[in-house]
């Protein structure tokens, strides 16, 4: 016979063994159920006809239908179903039209026509509709021009209504790219001024290229990282072996102009980037900020109509508008019509247009405040003296933009003092030059009025640009 201790030991062992068997059976059953569920789920998706899935996807809203395309390749193909996106497009269109037109619009295209379009066609049409690109309202606004500056007067309003922003993409020597969205933007009557501050860029001397893109984000109801975006490359600047043009400095940063309206602020004593400034001219700015696939637009250069009756065609009828400004205010602006040049004045490949002459005091223009360019990041701020932004627009006699400039300029003390009987003070000059021409401005500092006066301004237009535009052979 077993004693009490042996009996208790055997009973305890049997209970432990029973619990172990029960636990093992439960784990095995759980694994079998999990595998069966996974296998059944995969098989059901693989066996389900695409037509059934498309019927289910029709119950989704536009944002969910677009996002489901990121699940895998199978759902990406199904989410581009033309029939579903056509329905969204029609509903969006009918919001802006009479309700009775819905049946006509839906039945206007048969099933074959709807599905026969390339994949993604109706999705892109829907995106254009909700982004406002299919409406002619913004195009009509751009047709209204400011009588003073001669440029579209609703550029800022259209850019904000279409939610257009800008971003830069930089590439370093290893081919790595970094994208940065603008920190802020401000508008004037002739240009938009954009600022990128506190950007973690590689050192400037390690960058090989910088690209500026216009960005249009579709206002689709979905998470921001998945929201569809259209981009338009507006400029690409190659930086390898290029240091830029020095534009001024203060105790903290120095400015380098690298072309196409882009200025880089570099920290003193090393090549780290402090900020980036971009100044873009308003001429066709909306069209240039949109990709051609979304908003086709005409070429940048438009030739004038040929005139064989006027022997001096291309030498007269010019109008110029010039504006000096910084991040805070407009320093100087003026519109100067009926500019001309005689044939015998053409020299060294340039056609000179005298805009302001010291002999005609009525055109002398004074500056508001001093010439300076304030800058500000989240941590630091400063002011670059004797530097500002210049926006220049020259029209031909048909009032078509002929030469457009948006770039930083620097005021320096004139090398030679010019005798003036009307203005007594130091002389300064502002010079600018590109492939289209050059500009020379002379200023006088009037001590008793504590103001700068523009006493002379001459624009030199490249004669090759004139010949190409007007079809002449000067």
């Amino acid at each position: 016979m077993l004693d009490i201790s042996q009996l208790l030991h055997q009973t305890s062992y049997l209970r432990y063994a029973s619990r172990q068997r029960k636990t093992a059976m439960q784990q095995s059953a759980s694994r079998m159920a999990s595998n069966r569920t996974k296998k059944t789920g995969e098989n059901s998706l693989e066996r389900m006809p695409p037509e059934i899935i498309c019927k289910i996807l029709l119950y989704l809203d536009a944002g969910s239908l677009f996002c489901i395309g990121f699940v895998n390749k199978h759902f990406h193909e199904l989410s581009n179903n033309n029939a579903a996106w056509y329905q969204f497009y029609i509903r969006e269109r009918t919001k802006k039209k009479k309700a009775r037109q819905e049946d006509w619009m839906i039945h206007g295209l048969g099933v074959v026509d709807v599905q026969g379009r390339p994949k993604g066609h109706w999705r892109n049409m829907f995106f254009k509709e909700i982004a406002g690109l299919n409406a002619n309202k913004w195009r009509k606004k751009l047709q209204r021009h400011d009588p003073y500056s001669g440029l579209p007067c609703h550029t800022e309003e259209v850019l904000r209504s279409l939610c257009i922003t800008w971003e830069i993409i930089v590439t370093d020597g290893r081919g790595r790219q970094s994208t940065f969205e603008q920190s802020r933007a401000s508008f004037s009557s002739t240009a938009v001024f954009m600022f990128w501050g506190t950007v973690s860029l590689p050192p400037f001397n390690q960058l090989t290229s910088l690209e500026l893109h216009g960005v249009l984000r579709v206002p689709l109801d979905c998470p921001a990282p998945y929201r569809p975006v259209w981009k338009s490359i507006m400029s690409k600047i190659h930086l390898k072996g290029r240091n830029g043009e020095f534009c001024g400095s203060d105790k903290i940063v120095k400015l380098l102009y690298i072309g196409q309206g882009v200025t880089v602020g570099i920290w003193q004593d090393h090549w780290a980037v402090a900020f980036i400034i971009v100044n873009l001219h308003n001429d066709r700015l909306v069209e240039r900020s949109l990709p051609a696939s979304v908003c086709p637009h005409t070429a940048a250069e438009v030739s004038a109509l040929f005139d064989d009756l006027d022997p001096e065609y291309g030498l007269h009828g010019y109008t110029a508008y010039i504006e000096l400004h910084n991040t805070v205010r407009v320093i100087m602006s003026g519109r100067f019509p009926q500019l001309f040049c005689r044939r015998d004045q053409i020299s060294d490949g340039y056609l000179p247009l005298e805009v302001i002459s010291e002999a005609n005091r009525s055109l002398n223009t004074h500056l508001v405040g001093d010439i300076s360019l304030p800058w500000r990041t989240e941590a630091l701020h400063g002011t670059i003296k004797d530097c500002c932004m210049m926006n220049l627009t020259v029209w031909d006699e048909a009032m078509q933009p002929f030469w457009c400039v948006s770039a930083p300029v620097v005021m320096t003390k004139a090398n030679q003092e010019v005798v003036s009987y009307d203005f007594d003070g130091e002389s300064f000059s502002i010079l600018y030059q590109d492939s289209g021409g050059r500009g020379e401005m002379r200023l006088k500092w009037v001590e008793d009025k504590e103001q700068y006066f523009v006493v002379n301004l001459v624009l030199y237009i490249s004669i090759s640009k004139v010949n190409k535009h007007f079809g002449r052979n000067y």
Side-chain angles (χ1 to χ4, degrees):
M1 294 182 66
L2 298 173
D3 56 13
I4 297 299
S5 61
Q6 291 176 336
L7 182 62
L8 291 174
H9 178 73
Q10 291 182 357
T11 302
S12 175
Y13 176 77
L14 291 173
R15 287 177 179 174
Y16 172 77
S18 176
R19 285 197 301 270
Q20 289 294 101
R21 286 194 299 272
K22 186 176 180 180
T23 302
M25 291 176 63
Q26 288 177 347
Q27 291 176 350
S28 177
S30 176
R31 285 194 297 270
M32 291 176 63
S34 176
N35 292 335
R36 185 167 59 252
T37 302
K38 182 178 180 181
K39 186 176 180 180
T40 303
E42 291 175 351
N43 290 337
S44 64
L45 285 176
E46 292 174 359
R47 292 194 305 265
M48 185 177 292
E51 294 81 4
I52 302 299
I53 300 181
C54 288
K55 288 288 185 182
I56 297 173
L57 296 181
L58 287 175
Y59 289 93
L60 298 177
D61 61 87
S64 301
L65 179 62
F66 179 74
C67 289
I68 205 172
F70 293 97
V71 174
N72 53 37
K73 291 183 179 180
H74 183 58
F75 274 100
H76 178 73
E77 291 290 327
L78 295 175
S79 65
N80 281 332
N81 181 273
N82 272 339
W85 289 108
Y86 180 67
Q87 297 300 320
F88 287 124
Y89 172 68
I90 291 301
R91 291 172 196 164
E92 188 67 25
R93 290 280 293 175
T94 52
K95 291 179 182 178
K96 305 171 184 178
K97 296 181 178 291
K98 296 179 180 178
R100 65 184 181 182
Q101 293 180 339
E102 182 175 2
D103 292 337
W104 179 86
M105 295 177 67
I106 292 176
H107 297 294
L109 290 175
V111 177
V112 177
D113 292 329
V114 173
Q115 296 287 12
R117 300 295 177 93
K119 278 189 177 181
H121 171 79
W122 293 110
R123 183 191 65 182
N124 290 336
M125 291 295 293
F126 171 70
F127 288 165
K128 289 181 183 179
E129 190 66 31
I130 63 176
L133 294 176
N134 287 341
N136 290 322
K137 187 176 180 180
W138 65 272
R139 291 185 176 89
K140 292 180 180 178
K141 286 185 177 181
L142 293 179
Q143 293 175 358
R144 304 171 189 169
H145 289 71
D146 187 325
Y148 190 63
S149 68
L151 295 169
C153 52
H154 294 293
T155 299
E156 178 182 358
E157 180 184 347
V158 172
L159 288 169
R160 294 190 185 280
S161 65
L162 294 178
C163 301
I164 294 176
T165 58
W166 297 270
E167 68 181 23
I168 56 174
I169 299 177
V170 296
T171 306
D172 63 13
R174 297 182 179 180
R176 296 175 297 187
Q177 290 189 333
S178 304
T179 303
F180 302 93
E181 297 182 0
Q182 68 185 53
S183 301
R184 58 182 181 270
S186 58
F187 294 83
S188 70
S189 60
T190 56
V192 57
F193 183 93
M194 292 168 285
F195 187 86
W196 282 260
T198 64
V199 292
S200 302
L201 286 169
F204 180 76
N205 56 356
Q206 296 181 12
L207 299 179
T208 59
S209 68
L210 183 148
E211 297 179 8
L212 175 67
H213 291 255
V215 180
L216 172 63
R217 289 177 172 80
V218 179
L220 192 65
D221 187 15
C222 66
Y226 301 103
R227 195 165 295 162
V229 174
W230 281 307
K231 295 184 179 182
S232 169
I233 181 168
M234 303 178 68
S235 60
K236 183 173 183 178
I237 305 171
H238 297 283
L239 300 174
K240 191 173 182 179
R242 182 177 179 181
N243 293 329
E245 178 184 346
F246 179 74
C247 293
S249 64
D250 59 10
K251 295 181 179 180
I252 306 176
V253 300
K254 56 184 177 182
L255 289 185
L256 297 178
Y257 180 60
I258 59 176
Q260 301 185 42
V262 182
T263 308
V264 182
I266 309 293
W267 297 117
Q268 290 280 19
D269 301 327
H270 52 86
W271 287 97
V273 177
F275 54 83
I276 295 177
I277 295 173
V278 178
N279 202 48
L280 294 179
H281 199 278
N282 275 357
D283 179 46
R284 299 170 51 257
L285 178 58
V286 177
E287 292 86 348
R288 290 186 289 131
S289 300
L290 295 172
S293 60
V294 174
C295 178
H297 52 269
T298 57
E301 293 187 2
V302 180
S303 298
L305 296 176
F306 183 74
D307 187 351
D308 57 353
L309 299 178
D310 184 2
E312 304 295 321
Y313 186 54
L315 299 182
H316 56 79
Y318 290 98
T319 301
Y321 181 84
I322 186 169
E323 179 182 271
L324 301 180
H325 72 96
N326 56 28
T327 57
V328 179
R329 65 182 183 275
V330 174
I331 302 172
M332 170 262 184
S333 66
R335 184 177 188 272
F336 307 92
Q338 299 301 321
L339 303 178
F340 65 93
C341 169
R342 294 190 303 271
R343 189 186 292 263
D344 57 1
Q345 292 178 323
I346 299 176
S347 63
D348 299 328
Y350 288 99
L351 183 150
L353 300 176
E354 190 175 54
V355 181
I356 297 177
S357 171
E358 192 169 357
N360 186 358
R361 293 191 59 184
S362 62
L363 296 178
N364 296 151
T365 305
H366 70 276
L367 274 58
V368 178
D370 58 351
I371 294 180
S372 61
L373 185 65
W375 61 270
R376 177 181 296 273
T377 64
E378 291 184 0
L380 298 170
H381 63 89
T383 300
I384 309 295
K385 292 184 177 181
D386 300 330
C387 177
C388 66
M389 294 294 169
M390 180 182 74
N391 301 325
L392 171 66
T393 312
V394 178
W395 297 272
D396 61 15
E397 59 182 331
M399 292 306 294
Q400 291 184 0
F402 174 67
W403 185 32
C404 299
V405 174
S406 285
V409 292
V410 180
M411 183 180 70
T412 58
K413 191 171 182 179
N415 294 328
Q416 294 180 352
E417 196 69 31
V418 179
V419 178
S420 173
Y421 298 101
D422 297 315
F423 296 96
D424 186 17
E426 287 187 296
S427 296
F428 299 87
S429 63
I430 293 178
L431 306 178
Y432 174 82
Q433 184 169 1
D434 62 17
S435 60
R438 74 177 194 267
E440 298 180 1
M441 178 185 293
R442 191 162 57 85
L443 304 95
K444 279 282 189 177
W445 171 253
V446 180
E447 190 68 35
D448 57 343
K449 295 185 178 181
E450 296 186 346
Q451 282 183 325
Y452 288 100
F453 280 81
V454 180
V455 296
N456 187 261
L457 173 60
V458 181
L459 301 177
Y460 296 87
I461 311 297
S462 170
I463 197 63
S464 61
K465 184 177 180 67
V466 173
N467 290 337
K468 182 179 179 181
H469 184 77
F470 292 97
R472 311 299 286 181
N473 189 25
Y474 292 120

